[in-house]
């Protein structure tokens, strides 16, 4: 089974970072929704920092 047909966890961090960059760009191009986007981005950054410090998450990332 290849990663093209079955998603792998190794692509989770790059996908998450891409999601964050797209939402940051949206906040600058759509100022009327920027406060809502920024509030959620703060929470997403907290999650991103937390998942990088979790041993179980790191072990799963290395295994996949």
């Amino acid at each position: 089974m290849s990663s093209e047909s079955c998603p792998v966890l190794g692509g989770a961090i790059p996908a998450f970072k891409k999601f964050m960059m797209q939402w940051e760009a949206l906040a600058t191009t759509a100022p009327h929704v920027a406060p809502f986007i920024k509030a959620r981005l703060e929470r997403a950054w907290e999650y991103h920092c937390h998942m990088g410090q979790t041993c179980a998450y790191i072990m799963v990332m290395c295994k996949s």
Side-chain angles (χ1 to χ4, degrees):
M1 207 180 278
S2 70
S3 63
E4 289 97 24
S5 62
C6 182
V8 293
L9 193 55
I13 291 178
F16 190 78
K17 287 183 178 180
K18 184 176 181 179
F19 153 77
M20 299 291 289
M21 290 180 357
Q22 289 174 337
W23 274 77
E24 287 171 349
L26 181 60
T28 60
T29 59
H32 60 287
V33 294
F36 304 105
I37 292 173
K38 289 181 180 182
R40 293 295 89 201
L41 280 174
E42 287 177 15
R43 181 66 178 117
W45 278 117
E46 288 175 17
Y47 175 76
H48 178 69
C49 291
H50 177 72
M51 71 181 179
Q53 296 172 351
T54 304
C55 293
Y57 186 83
I58 293 169
M59 290 172 57
V60 170
M61 291 295 291
C62 293
K63 186 176 181 184
S64 45

